[in-house]
Amino acid sequence: VGQWVGFGGYTYNTAEGGGISTTTNAHVATAGLAYLNPLNIRGEASLGLMYAKPIDDIFAPLVKERDQYGAEIYWRLQVTPNLVITPGAQLIVNPAFNRHDDFIAIPHLKFSATF
């Protein structure tokens, strides 16, 4: 609606792996909101939320999984027609396979160049 864009998704999985990566979650739900061209700068600012429930006992007895909650905030800036810079951060509550930490913050800076 105007400069606001909502997004979301849900995945249900019973495969317990596959392909070249591991699939560890039975349920993943995401939702968020993006604002297009903030401060008249081409790109978007976005906030996304996530819930993930690991497959029961997928790594038992090595690790006891737990439900994970997260948020990601970022601002994708179109610096030139061929260069995008995206600063942001991921915030994770109850990392699913990390019993030692209840909260993790992961700052990031991404670059994308096209030729």
Side-chain angles (χ1 to χ4, degrees):
V1 177
Q3 287 181 276
W4 293 97
V5 177
F7 58 90
Y10 172 77
T11 302
Y12 174 71
N13 169 51
T14 60
E16 296 187 20
I20 60 171
S21 64
T22 14
T23 305
T24 59
N25 293 306
H27 303 274
V28 176
T30 59
L33 191 61
Y35 184 72
L36 303 177
N37 303 322
L39 304 175
N40 291 322
I41 299 172
R42 190 169 178 203
E44 77 261 354
S46 181
L47 170 66
L49 303 174
M50 180 272 305
Y51 165 76
K53 177 174 180 43
I55 295 171
D56 290 334
D57 299 323
I58 191 165
F59 293 123
L62 301 174
V63 178
K64 178 63 179 149
E65 71 283 338
R66 60 184 176 170
D67 293 2
Q68 174 175 289
Y69 304 86
E72 180 175 13
I73 186 166
Y74 69 86
W75 186 359
R76 186 180 70 82
L77 301 119
Q78 185 83 41
V79 179
T80 71
N82 298 334
L83 178 64
V84 174
I85 298 174
T86 309
Q90 293 180 9
L91 309 172
I92 302 171
V93 177
N94 293 339
F97 302 104
N98 182 345
R99 287 284 182 190
H100 302 292
D101 294 307
D102 292 326
F103 176 78
I104 297 173
I106 306 161
H108 59 78
L109 184 60
K110 301 175 187 175
F111 297 89
S112 176
T114 57
F115 300 95

